[in-house]
C-alpha cells in the first residue's frame, strides 16, 4: 500500500472534519474490502480515518425498530438474540457473510457505504425497508443504493446506524455463492413487514441491488415458494462473468427466491 | 517407547513447530544489509519492447539498482536452462528457445519479468517500479494450443515456427493401425485436461547473498536445492559449486511448482554478487498466479479398438500439450515420458501409439504439478473406459475386470516402455467397491431422487509410475541429470542419529517417516533421530522431492547407508565380544553373538566407535558415519481404485461429492496416518480439478482468474469425509518394498468424480464432460434436454 496518515477520531464531528479536510481522505470501517484494495495499490488515500473509535457499534431493540450501529460487526449481528428474534433472516444473512475472520472485522455500515454489487447486506436493507441514518439525515433504503459501488452518501457524510422497522412478520435470505470469492453470485432477501412484501436481489444486477417487483406482487397475493416459481427475471440487466452468465443468474434468482420463501416459513 | 517403526502411526515430529508458527521459511530469514527486489512484470500477453526508461526509478528514494534484460545480456548470462530434451518423430531435437532471466526484446506472457528494482525497503522498490516507463508494441497473443497451432497464429518464439516445440511419438503405429483396421468396434473420446494453478500455501521467495571472497548463498523455496545449485551455478550464472550454497529451509508446499529453477532465484543471486549485499524477494500472491509454473492443460483425442467382447485391442492417443511461453525446467518430460508411458494403465492393451505435440502459447509456463502427466493419462484412460462402457453397454466394472492385467502376470511389460513389477488391481477394486458400498448405490440413488437430487457413482482404476528414476533410463529418454538419491547416516557418539537426506520435505513429513525407518532398522527411538534436509552445505548430494520419489529412492538410500552402519557395527561388536564377525547378529538395537547371551547395545557400539580405546584400530577406522547413493532399478507403480459418489442439485447444477473412497496399493506403508493425510490432500486437489479449478485466460492470453476472488480453490466444505484404505503388494526392487503415496490422490480422483457426474446425468444422454464441472456447466446440460429414458 501507499503511505498515508492514520487517524482514529473519537467523535463523529472530528471524523467528519478529517474526512472533509481532504478530498483524498478515506474512511475505514471494518476494512474487509478497503485493506485489500490498499494492499493492491488500487487506492491512494492521503488520510485514513478509522471509525472504530466513534462508539457506533451496538444493537438496540425498541418497540418499532431494530437499530444497528454502523460499526457493528457481522458476527455481532449474527449472534444477537435480539436480531434473531426480531428479524431472523437478517441474523442468518450476517452469519453467512465471508468467513469467520471477515465476520469479526467487517461492519454493516462499511458494507452499505461500499455497496459492492455482490454484498449481502444491501438486499436485507432494501427488502426490509430500512432507514440509513447518517450524521446529517435519514435516508430510505429505496433512495440509498444508487448503482454499483454508488450510494446517496455525500462527501463528509458518515453512516451512524441502520434502523429496521418492526414488526417483521417474515424474513429470510438465500444466497448462491460465487464459488471462488463466496460473495453472492445471486442473493435474494424476502421480507414481509412494515413496508409490505419485498424481494431484494443482490449479486446479479448490473446496477447492484434491486427489487423483484413481480415476485413481490405474487407473494403479496400468496406467500409460498410456488407463487414465484414461474416468475422469471430478465437477463438483460444482469451481470455475466466467468462464474455465471446473466441467464444463469436470472434462473438462480427464482431458485433462491423460492428457497428464501421456504426458509421464511 | 511404544512401537515407532515401519507401520506405526507416529505423530509428526515437525508439526510442533509448524503449528506454533515457529517454522523457518525463507521469508522468515533476514540477512544483515539486505535490499529488496521487486519485479516489474508484463501486464500484457505478447508485445515487443520498444523502450524501457528506468532513469526516474533509479533516482527514486532508497533505490540501489535497477536491472533489465540488457544487463544480463551485457554480462553474458544466457538464460534459464531446460532440464529435459525431447526429440521429434524425425529424430531432431525439440525447439528450445532462450528463456531470459529478464525479458529481452519481447514479453511473452502476463507476468513475464521485465525490470527488477532493488531498494532499501520493499515499499521503496515498489514505489520506484511505478516510475518505470515501458513502451510496448502489442502483438496478437494466444492462450490455447488449438489457436496457437492455427496457420497464421502469432509466433511466440522465432526459434519455434508454428509455435511447435516438438512433435513426439511413442509406440508401434503400424501395429496399432492394423489393430484398428481389424477391430469390431472403435470408441473415440475428445477431451481436455484443465489448466491449474498450484497455489502452494507459501509463496515463492529467494534471498541471494555473496561474501567478499565470492562465495554465494541462495535461500530459496525449493523442492530440490542441489538441482538448483547445479542448474543455476553451472548453466546460468557460472558459479562453481563449491562457491554456491543453496538452502531450502522449511517450505510450505510445492506440489511440483517449486522444483524448477526460476528467474527470481537467478536475479537475487546475480545481483547479490554485483552489489555485495543480500537481495531478498518474496512473491505476492498475485505474482504466484502469474509466475509459478502452472499444471496440466492438454487437449486430446483418444481411440480404443475393441473386439466384439469389449477386449481392448489397441489404443491411439493424440495430445496437444501447452508449454506456455517458455520451457520450464522439466516441462518437456511431463506430456511425454510421464504421460504417454502411462497409457497402458492397469489394462493389458497389447499395442498403444501416442503422439504428442508440445505447443508454445502466451501463457505462464506449464510444468509438473502433483501427478505430472499421470493425472492427464489417468483422466484420459478412465474417461475413455467409461465411454466404452457407455457405447457398448458393457458394465463399467465388468469392462475393467475383463481388461485388467491379472495379478499373476507380473512383471508385466507394457507396450509403452514401462515394466510393472507388482500390482493386484482386482483386489484394490474389490476392496474399494466394498468400502464404498457400491452394491447399495441404487437404493441411495433412489433416496436422493426422492429429494430431487441426481445421484451418481463413478470409479477410476488407476496406475501411476513414481520413484523417479533409474538414471540410465532417464538419461536415454532425454533427462540431463541423474535421478538417484543420497543418504548420510551419522551416528553420534552417544547413539543418537542424524540423517542427512537429499530429498526435501515441504509438507510430506519426512522428519518423521525417515526417522521411523531408522528406528525400525537400528532400534533407536524416533526422538533420537534427527532428519536434516534442504542445505547443499550439509547434505552430500541429492535430487530432491517430486514424483513421489522420496521414500522409494531416498528411503532406499537410507537403508543402504544403515546397512553399512550395521556392517561396521558388527565388526566393532565382534572385537568387543571376542567373536567372529560372521557370528554377530544385529536385532532390536543389539549386537549379539549368535546362540549366546553376550551382546552390546547399539549405543555401546557407537560410543566405542568414537572412543576407540578398545578397538580394532589396525583394520577399522574410528567413527560411525556412512553415506550411500541409491539409483533405483525401476520405477515404482502404485495403483488402486477410487470411488466417488456425487449429488447434483437439479435446480442449481451444484455438484457435491458426498462420498469418496480410495483404496490404494502404495507398497509398504511406513506411517499410516501420514499416508492418510497424503491421500486426503491429493484427493482434495483432485476434487478441486474436477469441480472447481480453472486457470482462466481470454483468447489473447490475458489472465481472467488471477486471484482467489476468481480462482476457485477447494475448501473444507467441498470435500467429503474420505475413506482411505490400502491393499499393498510390495515393490520388488527396493529394499523397503515401498512405492510412494504423494500423488495417488490427485491422480486417481478426477476421473472418478467426472465418471460419477456422467453417471448421475445418464438420463440426460451425457457421455462426457470436461473439467471443471462447474454448476453453470451442469445447469446448462440440465437446461438443454429433459431426461431421456435411455442414453443414445
Amino acid at each position: 500500500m501507499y503511505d498515508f496518515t492514520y487517524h482514529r477520531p473519537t467523535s463523529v464531528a472530528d471524523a467528519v472534519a478529517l474526512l472533509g479536510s481532504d478530498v483524498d481522505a478515506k474512511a475505514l470501517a471494518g476494512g474487509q474490502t478497503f485493506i485489500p484494495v490498499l494492499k493492491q495499490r488500487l487506492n491512494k488515500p492521503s488520510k485514513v480515518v478509522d471509525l472504530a473509535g466513534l462508539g457506533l457499534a451496538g444493537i438496540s431493540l425498541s418497540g418499532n425498530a431494530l437499530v444497528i450501529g454502523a460499526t457493528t460487526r457481522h458476527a455481532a449481528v449474527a449472534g444477537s438474540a435480539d436480531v434473531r428474534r426480531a428479524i431472523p433472516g437478517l441474523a442468518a444473512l450476517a452469519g453467512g457473510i465471508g468467513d469467520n475472520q471477515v465476520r469479526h472485522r467487517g461492519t454493516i455500515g462499511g458494507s452499505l457505504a461500499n455497496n459492492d454489487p455482490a454484498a449481502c447486506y444491501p438486499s436485507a436493507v432494501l427488502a426490509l425497508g430500512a432507514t440509513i441514518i447518517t450524521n446529517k439525515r435519514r435516508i430510505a433504503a429505496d433512495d440509498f443504493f444508487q448503482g454499483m459501488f454508488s450510494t446517496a452518501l455525500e462527501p463528509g457524510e458518515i453512516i451512524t446506524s441502520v434502523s429496521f422497522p418492526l414488526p417483521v412478520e417474515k424474513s429470510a435470505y438465500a444466497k448462491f455463492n460465487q464459488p471462488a470469492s463466496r460473495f453472492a453470485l445471486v442473493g435474494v432477501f424476502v421480507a414481509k413487514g412494515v413496508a409490505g412484501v419485498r424481494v431484494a436481489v443482490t449479486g446479479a444486477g448490473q446496477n447492484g441491488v434491486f427489487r423483484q417487483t413481480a415476485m413481490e406482487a405474487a407473494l403479496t397475493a400468496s406467500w409460498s415458494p410456488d407463487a414465484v416459481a414461474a416468475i422469471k427475471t430478465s437477463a438483460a440487466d444482469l451481470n455475466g462473468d466467468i462464474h455465471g452468465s446473466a441467464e444463469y443468474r436470472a434462473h438462480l434468482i427464482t431458485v433462491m427466491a423460492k428457497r428464501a420463501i421456504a426458509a421464511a416459513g | 517407547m511404544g512401537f515407532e517403526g515401519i507401520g506405526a502411526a507416529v505423530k509428526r515430529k515437525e508439526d510442533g513447530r509448524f503449528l506454533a508458527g515457529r517454522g523457518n521459511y525463507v521469508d522468515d530469514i533476514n540477512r544483515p544489509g539486505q535490499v529488496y527486489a521487486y519485479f516489474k512484470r508484463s501486464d500484457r500477453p505478447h508485445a515487443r519492447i520498444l523502450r524501457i526508461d528506468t532513469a526516474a526509478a533509479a533516482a527514486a528514494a532508497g533505490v540501489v539498482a535497477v536491472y533489465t534484460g540488457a544487463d544480463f545480456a551485457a554480462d553474458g548470462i544466457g538464460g534459464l536452462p531446460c532440464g529435459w530434451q525431447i526429440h521429434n518423430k524425425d529424430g531432431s531435437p525439440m525447439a528450445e528457445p532462450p528463456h531470459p532471466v529478464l525479458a529481452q526484446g519481447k514479453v511473452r506472457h502476463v507476468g513475464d519479468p521485465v525490470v527488477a528494482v532493488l531498494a532499501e525497503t520493499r515499499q521503496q522498490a515498489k514505489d520506484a517500479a511505478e516510475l518505470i516507463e515501458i513502451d510496448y508494441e502489442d502483438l496478437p497473443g494466444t492462450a490455447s494450443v488449438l489457436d496457437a497451432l492455427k496457420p497464421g497464429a502469432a509466433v511466440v518464439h522465432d526459434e519455434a515456427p508454428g509455435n511447435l516445440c516438438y512433435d513426439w511419438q511413442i509406440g508401434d503405429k503400424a501395429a496399432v493401425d492394423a489393430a484398428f483396421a481389424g477391430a469390431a468396434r472403435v470408441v473415440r473420446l475428445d477431451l481436455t485436461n484443465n489448466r491449474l494453478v498450484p497455489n502452494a500455501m507459501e509463496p515463492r521467495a529467494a534471498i541471494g547473498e555473496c561474501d567478499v571472497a565470492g562465495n554465494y548463498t541462495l535461500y530459496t523455496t525449493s523442492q530440490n536445492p542441489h538441482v538448483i545449485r547445479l542448474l543455476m551455478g553451472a548453466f546460468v550464472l557460472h558459479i562453481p559449486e563449491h562457491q554456491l550454497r543453496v538452502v531450502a529451509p522449511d517450505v510450505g508446499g510445492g506440489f511440483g511448482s517449486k522444483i524448477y529453477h526460476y528467474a527470481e532465484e537467478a536475479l537475487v543471486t546475480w545481483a547479490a554478487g554485483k552489489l555485495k549485499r543480500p537481495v531478498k524477494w518474496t512473491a505476492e500472491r498475485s505474482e504466484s498466479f502469474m509466475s509459478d509454473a502452472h499444471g496440466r492443460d492438454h487437449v486430446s483425442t483418444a481411440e480404443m479398438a475393441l473386439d466384439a467382447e469389449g477386449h481392448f485391442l489397441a489404443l491411439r492417443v493424440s495430445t496437444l500439450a501447452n508449454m506456455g511461453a517458455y520451457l520450464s525446467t522439466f516441462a518437456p518430460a511431463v506430456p511425454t515420458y510421464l504421460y504417454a508411458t502411462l497409457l497402458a494403465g492397469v489394462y493389458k492393451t497389447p499395442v498403444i501409439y501416442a503422439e504428442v505435440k508440445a505447443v508454445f502459447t502466451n501463457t505462464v509456463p506449464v510444468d509438473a504439478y502433483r501427478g505430472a502427466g499421470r493425472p492427464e493419462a489417468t483422466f484420459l484412460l478412465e474417461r475413455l473406459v467409461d465411454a466404452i462402457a457407455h457405447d457398448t453397454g458393457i458394465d463399467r466394472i465388468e469392462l475393467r475386470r475383463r481388461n485388467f492385467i491379472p495379478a499373476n502376470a507380473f512383471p508385466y511389460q507394457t507396450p509403452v516402455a514401462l515394466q510393472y513389477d507388482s500390482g493386484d488391481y482386482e483386489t484394490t477394486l474389490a476392496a474399494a467397491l466394498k468400502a464404498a458400498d457400491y452394491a447399495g448405490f441404487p437404493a441411495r440413488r433412489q433416496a436422493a431422487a426422492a429429494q430431487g437430487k441426481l445421484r451418481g457413482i463413478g470409479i477410476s482404476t488407476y496406475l501411476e509410475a513414481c520413484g523417479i528414476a533409474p538414471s540410465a533410463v532417464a538419461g536415454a529418454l532425454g533427462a540431463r541429470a541423474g535421478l538417484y538419491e543420497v543418504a548420510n547416516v551419522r551416528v553420534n557418539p552417544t547413539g543418537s542419529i542424524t540423517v542427512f537426506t537429499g530429498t526435501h520435505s515441504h509438507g510430506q513429513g519426512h522428519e518423521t517417516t525417515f526417522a521411523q525407518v531408522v528406528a525400525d532398522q537400528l532400534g533407536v527411538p524416533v526422538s533420537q533421530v534427527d532428519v536434516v534436509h534442504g542445505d547443499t552445505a550439509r547434505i552430500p548430494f541429492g535430487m530432491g522431492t517430486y514424483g513421489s520419489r522420496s521414500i522409494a529412492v531416498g528411503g532406499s538410500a537410507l537403508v543402504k547407508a544403515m546397512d553399512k552402519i550395521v556392517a561396521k557395527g558388527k565388526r566393532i561388536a565382534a572385537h568387543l565380544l571376542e567373536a567372529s564377525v560372521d557370528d554377530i547378529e544385529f536385532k532390536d538395537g543389539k549386537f549379539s553373538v549368535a546362540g549366546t547371551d553376550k551382546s552390546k547395545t547399539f549405543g555401546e557400539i557407537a560410543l566405542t566407535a568414537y572412543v576407540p580405546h578398545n578397538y580394532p584400530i589396525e583394520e577399522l577406522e574410528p567413527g560411525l558415519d556412512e553415506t550411500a547413493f541409491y539409483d533405483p532399478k525401476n520405477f515404482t507403480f502404485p495403483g488402486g481404485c477410487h470411488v466417488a459418489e456425487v449429488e447434483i442439485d437439479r435446480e442449481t447444477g451444484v455438484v457435491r461429492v458426498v462420498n469418496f473412497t480410495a483404496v490404494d496399493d502404495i507398497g509398504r506403508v511406513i506411517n499410516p496416518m501420514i499416508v492418510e493425510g497424503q491421500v486426503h490432500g491429493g484427493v482434495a486437489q483432485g476434487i478441486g480439478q474436477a469441480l472447481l479449478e480453472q486457470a482462466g485466460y481470454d483468447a489473447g492470453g490475458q489472465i481472467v482468474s488471477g486471484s482467489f476472488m476468481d480462482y476457485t480453490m477447494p475448501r473444507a466444505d467441498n470435500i467429503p469425509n474420505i475413506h482411505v484404505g490400502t491393499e499393498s503388494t510390495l515393490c520388488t526392487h527396493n529394499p523397503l518394498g515401498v512405492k510412494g503415496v504423494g500423488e495417488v490422490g490427485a491422480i486417481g480422483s478426477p476421473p472418478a468424480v467426472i465418471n460419477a457426474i456422467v453417471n448421475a446425468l445418464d438420463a440426460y444422454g451425457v457421455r462426457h464432460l470436461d473439467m471443471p464441472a462447474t454448476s453453470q456447466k451442469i445447469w446448462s446440460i440440465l437446461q438443454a434436454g429433459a431426461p431421456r429414458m435411455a442414453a443414445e
Side-chain angles (χ1 to χ4, degrees):
Chain A
M1 55 183 75
Y2 296 105
D3 285 347
F4 51 78
T5 57
Y6 172 81
H7 305 267
R8 196 172 192 273
T10 53
S11 75
V12 172
D14 288 349
V16 169
L18 282 161
L19 287 167
S21 67
D22 191 331
V23 290
D24 291 325
K26 288 275 187 286
L28 169 67
Q32 296 307 288
T33 298
F34 189 49
I35 300 291
V37 163
L38 291 181
K39 286 169 74 174
Q40 291 173 72
R41 295 189 160 209
L42 297 173
N43 202 313
K44 193 174 183 176
S46 56
K47 292 177 180 161
V48 169
V49 181
D50 189 342
L51 307 182
L54 305 184
L56 298 177
I59 296 167
S60 66
L61 187 64
S62 67
N64 58 2
L66 174 78
V67 180
I68 301 179
T71 57
T72 308
R73 315 277 185 203
H74 309 327
V77 174
S80 159
D82 284 344
V83 180
R84 286 168 148 176
R85 194 169 49 246
I87 317 178
L90 182 62
L93 173 148
I97 297 173
D99 54 32
N100 210 27
Q101 290 87 337
V102 166
R103 289 193 290 275
H104 278 86
R105 292 302 305 168
T107 68
I108 186 169
S111 174
L112 296 176
N114 190 45
N115 195 19
D116 187 312
C120 296
Y121 263 132
S123 67
V125 168
L126 187 58
L128 292 162
T131 299
I132 287 92
I133 300 166
T134 75
N135 58 314
K136 293 181 178 172
R137 55 185 168 144
R138 299 168 66 88
I139 308 170
D142 290 301
D143 301 325
F144 182 80
F145 303 106
Q146 302 198 340
M148 203 177 274
F149 297 107
S150 175
T151 69
L153 291 174
E154 292 164 357
E157 188 169 18
I158 295 174
I159 299 174
T160 54
S161 64
V162 185
S163 177
F164 296 86
L166 298 179
V168 171
E169 194 184 324
K170 292 179 186 295
S171 70
Y173 180 61
K175 171 183 173 185
F176 189 90
N177 286 334
Q178 193 262 50
S181 70
R182 300 209 170 174
F183 273 75
L185 192 76
V186 169
V188 177
F189 200 101
V190 297
K192 188 176 195 178
V194 177
V197 169
R198 286 197 176 200
V199 177
V201 179
T202 189
Q206 284 179 3
N207 296 309
V209 67
F210 66 91
R211 285 171 59 186
Q212 221 300 1
T213 49
M215 288 186 183
E216 292 177 356
L219 290 171
T220 304
S222 162
W223 180 274
S224 75
D226 289 345
V228 300
I231 299 178
K232 302 203 182 311
T233 306
S234 164
D237 296 325
L238 302 185
N239 286 323
D241 57 26
I242 57 173
H243 302 290
S245 63
E247 292 72 23
Y248 185 45
R249 280 178 159 92
H251 167 78
L252 288 173
I253 289 171
T254 303
V255 176
M256 292 300 116
K258 276 167 40 186
R259 291 183 183 182
I261 295 155
Chain B
M1 108 192 158
F3 176 62
E4 298 183 325
I6 291 172
V10 174
K11 289 224 170 98
R12 301 193 348 155
K13 295 176 71 175
E14 45 272 82
D15 283 350
R17 70 175 190 276
F18 294 153
L19 293 173
R22 304 288 170 140
N24 180 40
Y25 297 89
V26 173
D27 193 55
D28 294 323
I29 297 169
N30 291 294
R31 304 298 299 158
Q34 71 191 13
V35 299
Y36 294 83
Y38 178 78
F39 290 86
K40 174 100 174 167
R41 297 176 185 276
S42 174
D43 57 0
R44 51 201 77 206
H46 196 194
R48 212 176 301 287
I49 301 170
L50 302 179
R51 182 182 73 97
I52 304 178
D53 185 345
T54 61
V63 171
V64 174
V66 181
Y67 298 116
T68 68
D71 295 300
F72 283 85
D75 232 16
I77 306 291
L80 307 176
C82 182
W84 205 298
Q85 187 180 51
I86 297 297
H87 287 80
N88 292 304
K89 287 174 181 167
D90 65 7
S92 60
M94 66 184 188
E96 203 172 341
H99 184 177
V101 176
L102 295 175
Q104 296 181 7
K106 284 214 300 190
V107 289
R108 293 183 173 84
H109 69 90
V110 172
D112 206 355
V114 184
V115 184
V117 181
L118 281 63
E120 298 292 345
T121 70
R122 191 171 282 148
Q123 193 76 4
Q124 288 171 330
K126 244 176 139 166
D127 288 344
E130 293 187 3
L131 303 174
I132 296 167
E133 288 176 32
I134 305 175
D135 291 344
Y136 288 113
E137 176 197 344
D138 281 314
L139 300 168
T142 56
S144 90
V145 288
L146 297 171
D147 286 345
L149 288 178
K150 281 180 185 158
V155 174
V156 182
H157 295 280
D158 293 341
E159 295 83 354
N163 294 317
L164 191 65
C165 174
Y166 57 73
D167 180 7
W168 171 90
Q169 64 182 351
I170 190 169
D172 187 339
K173 185 172 191 297
V176 167
D177 289 347
F180 270 83
R185 179 155 194 173
V186 171
V187 172
R188 174 183 162 140
L189 186 67
D190 297 323
L191 73 178
T192 67
N193 202 287
N194 44 328
R195 175 185 282 244
L196 305 176
V197 181
N199 284 320
M201 193 180 290
E202 178 204 23
R204 288 190 296 116
I207 305 170
E209 194 170 0
C210 179
D211 69 15
V212 289
N215 295 306
Y216 288 82
T217 302
L218 169 67
Y219 302 89
T220 183
T221 47
S222 176
Q223 302 177 212
N224 32 233
H226 281 92
V227 175
I228 300 304
R229 186 180 69 166
L230 180 69
L231 290 171
M232 186 179 78
F235 297 103
V236 185
L237 301 181
H238 313 298
I239 303 168
E241 279 159 305
H242 70 286
Q243 288 189 297
L244 176 56
R245 175 185 176 195
V246 178
V247 183
D250 284 332
V251 172
F255 313 111
S257 71
K258 292 172 182 167
I259 297 172
Y260 325 115
H261 176 40
Y262 284 98
E264 296 87 355
E265 295 170 322
L267 185 124
V268 298
T269 309
W270 176 82
K274 294 271 171 214
L275 300 173
K276 293 291 184 287
R277 287 181 71 177
V279 179
K280 179 170 183 172
W281 168 78
T282 303
E284 297 184 2
R285 182 58 66 180
S286 55
E287 288 185 280
S288 303
F289 273 94
M290 61 174 92
S291 72
D292 291 5
H294 290 179
R296 320 280 192 257
D297 204 345
H298 284 193
V299 176
S300 296
T301 295
E303 294 169 284
M304 189 72 87
L306 302 157
D307 73 9
E309 285 79 46
H311 293 108
F312 303 165
L313 301 178
L315 173 64
R316 187 155 58 197
V317 173
S318 175
T319 290
L320 305 176
N322 200 332
M323 293 286 101
Y326 300 100
L327 289 180
S328 175
T329 309
F330 292 110
V334 176
T336 50
Y337 295 109
L338 293 174
Y339 166 70
T341 53
L342 272 297
L343 288 170
V346 293
Y347 309 110
K348 56 190 178 190
T349 315
V351 285
I352 297 173
Y353 175 74
E355 56 184 351
V356 180
K357 288 189 173 76
V359 182
F360 290 110
T361 61
N362 297 108
T363 59
V364 172
V366 178
D367 208 324
Y369 166 66
R370 201 168 192 170
R374 291 149 289 163
E376 295 92 315
T378 302
F379 185 70
L380 177 141
L381 205 50
E382 290 303 295
R383 279 299 306 128
L384 180 61
V385 171
D386 262 32
I388 294 167
H390 174 272
D391 291 4
T392 62
I394 302 171
D395 174 77
R396 51 198 168 147
I397 309 280
E398 168 55 25
L399 180 67
R400 284 176 167 85
R401 286 192 161 127
R402 214 172 274 183
N403 287 285
F404 272 166
I405 299 161
N408 62 8
F410 295 91
Y412 177 82
Q413 178 63 50
T414 74
V416 275
L418 299 177
Q419 189 188 74
Y420 305 160
D421 63 330
S422 65
D424 182 351
Y425 312 128
E426 176 57 45
T427 296
T428 46
L429 170 67
L433 295 179
K434 184 160 182 287
D437 186 23
Y438 190 83
F441 174 73
R444 295 195 294 279
R445 179 175 225 185
Q446 216 163 22
Q451 313 259 322
K453 300 275 172 70
L454 298 165
R455 194 164 175 123
I457 193 165
I459 74 162
S460 135
T461 49
Y462 76 94
L463 171 134
E464 64 137 330
C466 59
I468 296 169
S471 293
V473 174
L477 301 179
R480 287 163 167 160
L483 286 162
Y484 47 82
E485 202 40 76
V486 186
N488 170 218
V489 176
R490 182 178 301 166
V491 181
N492 300 309
T494 57
S496 69
I497 294 168
T498 309
V499 171
F500 299 87
T501 173
T503 66
H504 187 276
S505 188
H506 32 281
Q508 293 86 345
H510 295 172
E511 291 171 39
T512 307
T513 46
F514 280 46
Q516 284 183 259
V517 173
V518 174
D520 194 88
Q521 312 259 305
L522 298 183
V524 296
V526 160
S527 65
Q528 293 297 299
V529 184
D530 191 27
V531 178
V532 177
H533 61 86
D535 185 345
T536 62
R538 299 183 73 191
I539 318 295
F541 203 76
M543 297 308 293
T545 287
Y546 39 82
S548 307
R549 70 189 301 272
S550 298
I551 198 67
V553 190
S556 298
L558 178 59
V559 170
K560 294 282 179 197
M562 286 192 289
D563 287 347
K564 295 183 188 180
I565 295 283
V566 171
K568 187 169 181 181
K570 282 183 177 176
R571 292 179 68 183
I572 299 169
H575 175 85
L576 294 178
L577 297 169
E578 296 174 338
S580 158
V581 174
D582 296 337
D583 291 336
I584 303 292
E585 292 175 342
F586 180 67
K587 196 165 172 259
D588 299 331
K590 270 187 189 163
F591 293 90
S592 334
V593 181
T596 75
D597 59 358
K598 289 166 56 177
S599 70
K600 291 284 177 190
T601 65
F602 184 78
E604 288 173 307
I605 296 299
L607 190 63
T608 305
Y610 287 95
V611 187
H613 297 161
N614 177 15
Y615 196 83
I617 202 79
E618 295 295 322
E619 59 204 53
L620 202 59
E621 295 170 18
L624 201 51
D625 185 331
E626 299 288 352
T627 297
F629 282 56
Y630 176 83
D631 201 87
K633 296 180 187 68
N634 191 358
F635 297 85
T636 61
F637 300 96
C641 178
H642 288 192
V643 185
E645 202 162 322
V646 301
E647 267 188 9
I648 297 173
D649 179 336
R650 279 177 199 266
E651 287 188 315
T652 61
V654 168
V655 180
R656 211 159 58 86
V657 180
V658 289
N659 285 324
F660 198 96
T661 304
V663 177
D664 302 300
D665 173 3
I666 55 167
R668 195 183 304 284
V669 171
I670 308 296
N671 182 320
M673 180 195 71
I674 289 178
V675 161
E676 208 170 322
Q678 285 285 332
V679 174
H680 285 172
V683 168
Q685 284 174 311
I687 290 175
Q689 170 163 30
L691 296 184
L692 306 168
E693 297 185 49
Q694 174 70 55
Y697 279 94
D698 72 11
Q702 192 57 247
I703 298 177
V704 296
S705 60
S707 81
F708 290 131
M709 291 295 279
D710 286 308
Y711 186 89
T712 312
M713 288 292 280
R715 303 186 199 183
D717 62 1
N718 298 121
I719 312 298
N721 285 327
I722 299 166
H723 172 90
V724 178
T726 51
E727 289 289 340
S728 293
T729 63
L730 298 184
C731 172
T732 62
H733 57 77
N734 66 41
L736 291 169
V738 290
K739 296 185 179 180
V741 69
E743 297 161 297
V744 296
I747 292 169
S749 58
V753 173
I754 296 297
N755 287 346
I757 295 171
V758 171
N759 177 246
L761 296 172
D762 56 6
Y764 290 80
V766 174
R767 179 175 180 265
H768 175 69
L769 186 70
D770 275 323
M771 302 184 288
T774 61
S775 58
Q776 175 167 241
K777 199 181 278 184
I778 302 292
W779 173 75
S780 301
I781 290 167
L782 296 172
Q783 286 297 106
R788 298 174 209 174
M789 289 312 292
E792 289 198 310

